[in-house]
Amino acid sequence: MKSIIRAALVATALVIPVASFAQSQITRAQVRAEMAELASVGYHVGDGDQAHYPEAIQAAEAKLAARNGQTAYGSDANGTSQAGGPRVSQADWNSMYSR
């Protein structure tokens, strides 16, 4: 009985990493295309500037987004929004809540 439980635990331990690994995979071509896009706006990998790494790639991604007409998150917001209902006039407010 112990060997069956042990075998099940070992099998589970081997299957879980494989399942988590297969969730998101991108191809080399996709990575190369993304690096080419970043290079087109001035970001170059391996230029020796490690002191400004996060800012440099974020700036390059922002330039790409601006060039492609995208916002930072989601799509462009061209709609309108109305929060709350219409305002109650002072006369109506007084007629409801004053004695």
Side-chain angles (χ1 to χ4, degrees):
M1 186 66 176
K2 285 185 179 181
S3 63
I4 294 173
I5 294 172
R6 187 173 292 153
L9 288 174
V10 169
T12 303
L14 293 174
V15 169
I16 289 174
V18 172
S20 65
F21 176 71
Q23 288 180 358
S24 65
Q25 293 184 6
I26 58 174
T27 64
R28 287 184 182 181
Q30 289 170 327
V31 172
R32 288 182 183 177
E34 184 176 342
M35 295 307 294
E37 286 180 336
L38 289 171
S40 72
V41 293
Y43 179 77
H44 301 287
V45 177
D47 61 357
D49 188 16
Q50 295 296 322
H52 301 288
Y53 164 69
E55 295 89 12
I57 196 164
Q58 289 171 348
E61 288 174 344
K63 288 179 187 177
L64 274 178
R67 184 176 75 183
N68 296 334
Q70 299 171 346
T71 58
Y73 295 101
S75 62
D76 291 335
N78 294 329
T80 60
S81 174
Q82 294 181 354
R87 291 186 49 110
V88 177
S89 69
Q90 189 65 37
D92 289 339
W93 181 269
N94 290 338
S95 68
M96 288 188 292
Y97 296 110
S98 65
R99 293 184 184 182

